[in-house]
Amino acid sequence: MRAIIQRVTKASVSVNGEVISSIGQGLCVLIGISRKDGPKDAEYIVRKILNLRLFDDDEGKGWKLNVKDKNFEILCVSQFTLQCVLKGNKPDFHEAMGSELSKEFYQQILNDLGKNYDASKIKDGQFGAYMQVNIENDGPVTIELNSPQTQQPQQKQPKKKQDNKGAEEVSEKK
């Protein structure tokens, strides 16, 4: 899973020219879900979104407070294009999770953000829609975050024949 986290003074999402969601100061998070992602990836992303210290404290010292400390809002936007793999100059999105599964997965991320913070402070775009995202980046501060992908079972590799001569050479060099 990949998330692009931007500290913003304000952000909004429009569909067909109509603003459907907006926030004031806080975070705008673009989220790309991979077909290999699992619950641990979502937990990691949620934890990082809520705990990254991207804001100044009351004394103006930077990088001291997180979005919860400041009681700010979070605007999330599902963005499968973050899972792009280039084939020459053409983007390929085969690494992105399919839309039906990713819609449920994305909704769970929103729910988990709300459970671990304040559901009224979590906003989002319209899943699967063609959207215009307006972001007034503060700083600018932009953090790219990649989850540790859920490990896939490794296929067994055929054992290579060991050359005894090579083993003797290694022993002699010690």
Side-chain angles (χ1 to χ4, degrees):
M1 185 174 306
R2 179 170 291 138
I4 304 298
I5 301 170
Q6 298 179 331
R7 186 176 74 184
V8 298
T9 54
K10 62 182 177 180
S12 65
V13 176
S14 299
V15 175
N16 296 323
E18 180 184 336
V19 174
I20 62 164
S21 194
S22 65
I23 64 168
Q25 202 166 12
L27 299 176
C28 182
V29 183
L30 308 175
I31 300 173
I33 303 169
S34 163
R35 60 188 175 89
K36 297 176 185 174
D37 288 331
K40 289 187 186 244
D41 298 289
E43 290 169 16
Y44 176 85
I45 293 293
V46 167
R47 186 174 70 252
K48 289 296 185 183
I49 291 168
L50 296 176
N51 292 302
L52 279 172
R53 294 181 293 171
L54 302 178
F55 299 96
D56 296 351
D57 66 13
D58 294 336
E59 297 171 5
K61 291 184 182 177
W63 316 110
K64 295 288 184 184
L65 302 175
N66 61 43
V67 70
K68 295 190 313 184
D69 297 331
K70 297 294 276 186
N71 203 31
F72 288 160
E73 296 174 297
I74 302 170
L75 175 61
C76 294
V77 179
S78 176
Q79 188 171 347
F80 76 93
T81 61
L82 289 175
Q83 294 298 330
C84 173
V85 175
L86 290 179
K87 292 196 174 183
N89 291 324
K90 184 178 181 195
D92 180 353
F93 305 107
H94 73 276
E95 289 296 323
M97 185 178 283
S99 62
E100 285 186 34
L101 286 175
S102 63
K103 185 174 184 175
E104 291 175 29
F105 205 91
Y106 175 71
Q107 190 58 52
Q108 188 59 50
I109 291 168
L110 296 175
N111 293 341
D112 291 347
L113 284 166
K115 285 178 193 171
N116 290 289
Y117 181 31
D118 175 351
S120 71
K121 302 252 184 228
I122 310 302
K123 314 289 179 162
D124 75 326
Q126 182 178 333
F127 188 92
Y130 185 82
M131 297 175 272
Q132 290 72 48
V133 182
N134 293 305
I135 300 168
E136 190 171 289
N137 198 311
D138 184 20
V141 173
T142 302
I143 306 294
E144 180 180 354
L145 185 61
N146 294 298
S147 70
Q149 297 258 327
T150 304
Q151 295 288 321
Q152 298 293 327
Q154 292 184 356
Q155 294 180 350
K156 290 186 177 181
Q157 298 293 325
K159 289 187 176 183
K160 293 181 180 178
K161 291 183 180 179
Q162 188 174 18
D163 183 344
N164 287 339
K165 182 179 179 189
E168 290 170 8
E169 288 175 2
V170 171
S171 297
E172 291 174 13
K173 291 180 182 178
K174 286 186 179 178

